[in-house]
Amino acid sequence: MNAASSRNVNDCGEAILSALMLDAIAASFNKPSFAKGRSFLRFQKTFNSVFSGRGQSRLPDASTLERIHARLVQTDLDRLGERSRVQRGQRLRANGHTRKAWRRLTSALPELQVLTNLNELLCTIPIEQTSPWRLFFATRPLGATEINQLDPKTQRDVRLVCQWLKCIRGSRVNVSGSTSDSNNEPIVVKSAGSPEKPLIAITSYRTEQRCWEGRVLGTPDLTRRRFDQLAKLVRNLGKLVPRPHYVVFPELSIPREWVMEVAASLQRSGISLIAGVEYEVDISGGRRLCHNPVFMVLRSTDLGYSTYRLLRQDKTIPALEEENELRRLSNLELVPKEPFDFGFLKRRDSRRPVFQHGDFQFGVLVCNELTNIAFRASYRGDVDALFVVEWNKDLKTFAPLVESTAYDVHCFVIQVNNREYGDSRVRIPAKDDWKRDVVRLQGGENDYAVVGELDVPALRSFQSHHRSATAQRAVFKPVPTGFQISVWRSTNPCLHDGE
């Protein structure tokens, strides 16, 4: 949108103008020149009727629209508009032309400084109909989580979220700070009233091997039976007493098409979600790639009111068996997707990201990443808890790793594995052996969840002494040699004087 347009209409009018402009652009995709001209005239007429009586803005001409088309590029936003169909476990393949138009349209959005509702915008039409360009615009503006999906930079800088909201809502949001781009500081999500002692619900949820294979082969299992299985567990999570602050799902457990629906359902109960999501496959650009993401949908007051923000972190290195099977079935290569690898693609010694939600600081590892001693070491002193989401049958190898991590990183370790194999637990570096597993789940024929409490203040207080207490009444094991608590977590200001 040009500067003259921005000056001549108010913020609300700017959002309407942008939506109408996008409508004209969507209508003109792959149409002959006379049809493009007609759609532009229709847009101009609509604009004039909406803004009659106001100072008229200079409208873009047909050549401007052509230049915008020339700059459009593809994005990875696929199938985000199919939510209503997938809710009932039914999948209708979007017409190839429709998906192409949608990708071009979303690519144009930063150029136009406007967004449309990713979850409700695209209405994929029945295959038998002839017009593949039937796009419609939702009346509800985008929320913060949808903006986070479209623009990855907003996940690290809340000021960018505010800029998007100003564009699509016409509202100004002033934030006192922003998420740091520094690799040495936590990625901050403010949450007023966040609990001192977080309650974590670890799920014992089964995902079948055929679901994994279906996603890899391009035929994901989005059946009514699987949807009902997941929906039943999600409903039960909202009824838990005490109600958890976080719910954690295993690696590759939730279909990509349903993850935001699960998050929205948990949001209604005030619960944040940390979940392993099924592969995102990208076979464009001459390479056959897939990404293994963890989605974190966290309660937030960054914008001055209660909402949720989305953060994503991708698995950096595949397990050997996973790598072989991906190659064998579909010749896919698992890599992290920039920027969700947080610099790992550029620097292999890059520090693992630390997330600060309210006052709670945690890190995330995906399955075999736990075996990387450098990854574990990078969290020492910086986190209260380490979430490890897994699809892992090698329990005898991972059990001692979880136990040693709780001690040598000296933090709570939340391991959540596929129910097929079990050993999901909350491990703490307690002095007494019988206190070390707050929760431990194994086996069973039904999906369920158990809540455990993390006494974060007690752990920080214990770690904030120059020497650990060893008396009989000490709750935790002494910190390991060389341990140093970060200044963000320390409760002892004198410990960091002069730093």
Side-chain angles (χ1 to χ4, degrees), residues 3 6 64 119 143 157 163 199 229 310 350 385 389 401 417 468 488:
S6 300
T64 302
N119 280 334
D157 193 341
Q163 292 174 15
L199 297 175
Q229 173 199 3
L310 169 68
S350 178
V389 296
L401 279 176
N417 196 12
S468 295
W488 313 302

Side-chain angles (χ1 to χ4, degrees), residues 388-409:
V388 186
V389 296
E390 299 175 1
W391 183 319
N392 171 51
K393 59 185 177 184
D394 190 5
L395 303 184
K396 290 188 177 180
T397 296
F398 274 69
L401 279 176
V402 169
E403 293 161 8
S404 66
T405 299
Y407 172 66
D408 58 37
V409 181

